[in-house]
Amino acid sequence: MSSPRLLSCLLFAAYSALSVNRHRQMRSTGYDLGIFEQAVRSYAHLRPPIADLKGPGFNLLGDHFHPILVLAAPFYRMFPSPVTLLVLQAALLALSAVPVTRLAIDFCGHRAGVCLGLAYGLSWGIQQAVVFDFHEIAFAVPLLARSVELLARRRWSAAAGWALPLLLVKEDQAFIVAAIGVYIFRQGHRRLGALVTAAAVAVGALAVLVIIPAFNPHHSYPYDKTAGSISSLPVPVTKEETILALLAPTLFFALRSPLVLLAVPSLLARFWTSNPMLWGSRFHYNAVLMPIIFIAFADGLARMRASGRVAALRGARVAPILALIIAMCVPQPLWRVLDPASWRVPEQVRAAEALLRIIPDEADVAAANRIAPQLTGRCRVFRFLSEPTPQFRPEWVATTGAPYEQSMIADLPSLGYSVVARAAGITIYRRTRTVLRDSGRLRRGAG
């Protein structure tokens, strides 16, 4: 087995262990693992991608344009579990290390290339995607890694062919595809570059202006400059710190390659929004930038080697090793898999799992965020806080009693719910046949 493939297999094992173990310990969330499981589960049964956690009957194509999720459906049909999505994501992210490492070996030599590929696999952008549930963006990472590798090898048509499927991953990938088109255009292949750029603009505009509004209940695109702003949360880092964090793992040698410019449109789009969560280094938002940054790193080192200067040759040999040392020294989630204590499932979690078995399969449940992905594989799950309402009352409710839930919990008796069981910090309610007061009128709760 070649070094790039062996490295990919090792990363797959580590990524899978991290994300699956996190789910086993009930640290995954309805936003977003539960939402994507609902959509993929619908696809697996040849139905539209309904995600009730976003709202009863909500078609997830009204949130983002990601038809590529259909590719996950056959795997989910064979293994219907949220774990399937986590393992699939781990495989996709690990697969992206193959083109990165292969190019690095060809451009920098075997030892330096393997070090660079491992530094990529351990990069914070990839690890943050692994450790936070499942996202459709996992499909983009290997596609982008292969496309940028081909750009570095000056294989323009093949690079364009691998870039265009990115438009089916998510509407914001149009920024990167357009950048790839412009890059090809600037390299002298104007017709091909113009076609790729035009395709990116056309598909991106179609998704944002037509397709998503057509499926959205408000008939609009829900993510403009201000939509989704989470102003109550602290900003984890500034925009400048995010740029520094992206370039520092490459010792800034990525700046020696024009390929690094492919990351600029995507970053500008994120920094333009008023949602501070999009500016920082957490979650999955930076995963697609990692292949660009590290392939630019390898390309920049190759340009240094080509210069023939002694200092440049020495720097090109040492830089990948230093990058790997930096990646290994920075505290990251992946190191948890080396801690035996992290593999133990707490008794409280086991008690919670037993409690949730009270809720029967195929039941309608309004569940708290941390509980939702434990139920989405076998129940129709709604978001507790949004549901229940006087107009829509699922039969079951499962809460964690978190402070932000208290107001809604206090309303449950008036909506016809009573406690069924309580353990491990979870309380389960069930709708009962009681007389309710709603806007001054008596209503008989449904059984």
Side-chain angles (χ1 to χ4, degrees):
M1 183 182 292
S2 66
S3 296
R5 290 190 175 91
L6 178 59
L7 176 60
S8 177
C9 290
L10 293 175
L11 291 172
F12 168 65
Y15 295 163
S16 298
L18 177 62
S19 58
V20 172
N21 191 46
R22 180 174 178 270
H23 176 69
R24 287 177 62 242
Q25 296 181 352
M26 293 187 71
R27 290 188 286 127
S28 56
T29 63
Y31 277 63
D32 293 309
L33 179 58
I35 288 173
F36 281 109
E37 185 184 12
Q38 288 181 328
V40 173
R41 185 186 185 193
S42 295
Y43 277 137
H45 291 87
L46 305 180
R47 298 193 299 262
I50 301 302
D52 289 307
L53 278 165
K54 294 285 291 184
F58 187 94
N59 189 316
L60 205 57
L61 289 173
D63 188 52
H64 288 297
F65 180 67
H66 37 44
I68 203 165
L69 282 176
V70 171
L71 297 181
F75 301 100
Y76 188 87
R77 187 65 184 260
M78 290 186 290
F79 307 102
S81 165
V83 171
T84 300
L85 299 186
L86 297 175
V87 172
L88 175 61
Q89 175 171 263
L92 290 167
L93 295 176
L95 184 62
S96 72
V98 173
V100 175
T101 308
R102 181 171 55 214
L103 180 83
I105 289 174
D106 290 347
F107 279 20
C108 306
H110 190 271
R111 183 175 63 179
V114 170
C115 288
L116 192 152
L118 186 53
Y120 165 78
L122 297 176
S123 63
W124 60 267
I126 297 294
Q127 290 200 47
Q128 288 298 315
V130 172
V131 82
F132 184 57
D133 294 354
F134 171 89
H135 297 89
E136 75 280 75
I137 214 67
F139 286 96
V141 180
L143 289 171
L144 188 56
R146 178 59 172 153
S147 179
V148 180
E149 178 204 10
L150 292 166
L151 288 177
R153 297 183 187 277
R154 305 182 69 83
R155 294 172 56 186
W156 312 117
S157 297
W162 281 89
L164 289 173
L166 289 166
L167 298 173
L168 303 178
V169 175
K170 196 176 180 182
E171 68 278 3
D172 61 3
Q173 294 306 292
F175 291 109
I176 292 178
V177 178
I180 290 173
V182 171
Y183 186 89
I184 294 173
F185 184 92
R186 292 296 302 272
Q187 295 299 316
H189 296 262
R190 297 190 172 185
R191 182 177 181 182
L192 178 61
L195 287 173
V196 172
T197 303
V201 172
V203 174
L206 184 67
V208 170
L209 301 176
V210 179
I211 298 175
I212 295 175
F215 289 101
N216 187 277
H218 301 292
H219 303 293
S220 63
Y221 181 64
Y223 299 99
D224 59 14
K225 186 179 187 298
T226 58
S229 178
I230 313 177
S231 57
S232 62
L233 296 178
V235 180
V237 294
T238 65
K239 300 171 184 178
E240 293 78 10
E241 288 171 329
T242 296
I243 295 173
L244 180 65
L246 286 168
L247 296 172
T250 72
L251 289 80
F252 299 94
F253 285 118
L255 293 173
R256 298 183 67 91
S257 170
L259 289 169
V260 76
L261 296 174
L262 298 176
V264 172
S266 181
L267 273 175
L268 289 178
R270 284 169 49 197
F271 290 167
W272 180 69
T273 181
S274 61
N275 184 347
M277 292 295 103
L278 298 178
W279 306 342
S281 57
R282 295 180 60 196
F283 309 123
H284 58 288
Y285 302 115
N286 295 284
V288 294
L289 302 181
M290 293 294 114
I292 297 174
I293 299 296
F294 277 84
I295 290 177
F297 182 21
D299 185 54
L301 295 179
R303 292 169 185 266
M304 291 173 60
R305 290 163 62 96
S307 71
R309 297 194 302 271
V310 175
L313 289 171
R314 290 176 178 171
R317 284 195 296 267
V318 173
I321 299 172
L322 293 177
L324 177 57
I325 292 173
I326 292 172
M328 296 183 69
C329 290
V330 174
Q332 287 288 351
L334 203 56
W335 303 131
R336 297 174 194 163
V337 301
L338 302 178
D339 180 8
S342 70
W343 289 85
R344 288 193 289 269
V345 178
E347 288 301 318
Q348 186 176 17
V349 171
R350 297 188 186 279
E353 291 173 342
L355 186 72
L356 292 175
R357 285 195 284 270
I358 294 173
I359 301 173
D361 292 352
E362 307 302 328
D364 288 356
V365 190
N369 194 33
R370 292 285 179 184
I371 300 173
Q374 307 297 322
L375 296 170
T376 45
R378 63 182 184 87
C379 298
R380 187 183 181 196
V381 182
F382 306 88
R383 184 189 179 203
F384 178 66
L385 294 182
S386 299
E387 316 295 340
T389 66
Q391 294 75 32
F392 181 75
R393 295 176 297 142
E395 183 176 1
W396 299 83
V397 171
T399 74
T400 61
Y404 62 86
E405 296 177 357
Q406 292 303 317
S407 176
M408 188 67 187
I409 289 173
D411 290 338
L412 289 177
S414 67
L415 291 171
Y417 291 89
S418 57
V419 174
V420 172
R422 182 182 284 120
I426 293 176
T427 304
I428 295 180
Y429 299 80
R430 189 174 187 182
R431 192 184 64 208
T432 57
R433 298 181 66 88
T434 57
V435 177
L436 305 177
R437 291 189 179 273
D438 180 24
S439 300
R441 292 175 301 173
L442 292 177
R443 295 178 55 194
R444 175 70 61 180

